[in-house]
Amino acid sequence: MPLHAILFDHDGTLVDSEATHMQLWREVVAPYGVQISESEYWQRMLGVPMEQNAADIVRMYGLDADPEALINAKIAANERFLTEHWFPQMPEASRILNHLAQQCRLALVSGSQRNCVNASLSGHGWHALFEQVVTGDDVARNKPHPDGYRKALDLMQLDPQHCVAVEDTEVGVQAAHEAGLRVVAIRNPLAESHDFGPATVVVDSLVEAERWISERINR
């Protein structure tokens, strides 16, 4: 089946952002006397949209707090970080994106807020590479729902059967699969408990994802 477009996830797929997000969440909950452990973050919060993370934190730790207050605090923490920083790219991400953009249409579908994504696009010079950018701010239902992927497909006027998504978490794989896309899942050692069953193929790195995709573009 011909491949017309590649739809990339952002956090953990193109940029190494999760350790930063974990630290920012720790800052948000510190006033409540809570410490989020690494195991709790990687197993329960990795790749999960901020709104769901906030609700889960209140439930897991029995906090006397409104999830909306945690969301607002996390947004503020993100903004402070992004005033002077952007997330570092995953190994060879710029080379891979530039290479694939010469052969195929690209889009970015992220569950993160647009300011986080825009910081990466500007910091790494990626704006011109993506035909469409859909973030968690652009849809009513974030991942694991398929709304972000469906919106990108609609904007690009593409059939999902002619596209592939690149993801690194269970919720992302589920969202792309439910939108009808083939999915390349990048196995993160920190997400060993994630179910990648719906993925078309599971690889160990973005470089391996590029290789798998390139073979199908050139068929």
Side-chain angles (χ1 to χ4, degrees):
M1 189 173 295
L3 181 57
H4 295 163
I6 309 160
L7 286 69
F8 283 93
D9 172 50
H10 176 253
D11 293 275
T13 299
L14 295 178
V15 297
D16 187 5
S17 58
E18 293 297 350
T20 300
H21 281 304
M22 178 173 64
Q23 182 56 40
L24 294 177
W25 270 119
R26 285 174 166 174
E27 293 175 11
V28 167
V29 301
Y32 299 92
V34 168
Q35 171 69 34
I36 299 172
S37 70
E38 289 194 13
S39 62
E40 287 169 330
Y41 184 84
W42 300 127
Q43 292 175 16
R44 301 188 182 191
M45 299 177 66
L46 179 66
V48 177
M50 178 176 59
E51 295 79 6
Q52 187 61 51
N53 274 335
D56 288 344
I57 287 170
V58 170
R59 176 182 52 79
M60 287 190 301
Y61 299 106
L63 298 189
D64 182 17
D66 184 345
E68 192 67 27
L70 299 185
I71 291 169
N72 291 335
K74 180 59 163 60
I75 290 172
N78 287 349
E79 290 177 348
R80 288 193 298 272
F81 173 81
L82 293 170
T83 56
E84 298 181 358
H85 308 88
W86 55 83
F87 301 115
Q89 64 176 278
M90 299 299 284
E92 299 196 51
S94 284
R95 179 196 63 76
I96 289 167
L97 290 174
N98 278 280
H99 173 230
L100 293 177
Q102 295 173 20
Q103 307 175 69
C104 203
R105 298 165 69 183
L106 303 186
L108 186 63
V109 180
S110 174
S112 289
Q113 291 65 52
R114 184 163 285 273
N115 63 341
C116 292
V117 175
N118 280 341
S120 297
L121 297 177
S122 298
H124 298 299
W126 292 344
H127 272 292
L129 299 176
F130 293 104
E131 182 177 329
Q132 296 292 338
V133 175
V134 177
T135 73
D137 293 337
D138 302 318
V139 292
R141 300 184 306 168
N142 211 331
K143 298 176 184 180
H145 298 288
D147 301 32
Y149 279 106
R150 287 177 177 166
K151 183 177 181 69
L153 292 167
D154 287 344
L155 290 170
M156 299 171 81
Q157 298 184 321
L158 286 169
D159 187 319
Q161 294 183 345
H162 295 152
C163 305
V164 64
V166 184
E167 281 280 357
D168 75 309
T169 64
E170 180 177 338
V171 294
V173 169
Q174 181 179 336
H177 176 71
E178 289 191 12
L181 292 104
R182 289 170 282 175
V183 188
V184 179
I186 299 174
R187 184 186 293 106
N188 186 330
L190 298 170
E192 292 181 353
S193 63
H194 286 215
D195 178 10
F196 288 163
T200 308
V201 63
V202 180
V203 298
D204 289 324
S205 68
L206 186 60
V207 173
E208 289 189 17
E210 175 199 22
R211 186 178 303 119
W212 188 92
I213 291 168
S214 293
E215 289 173 354
R216 280 137 189 90
I217 292 175
N218 296 325
R219 282 181 179 175

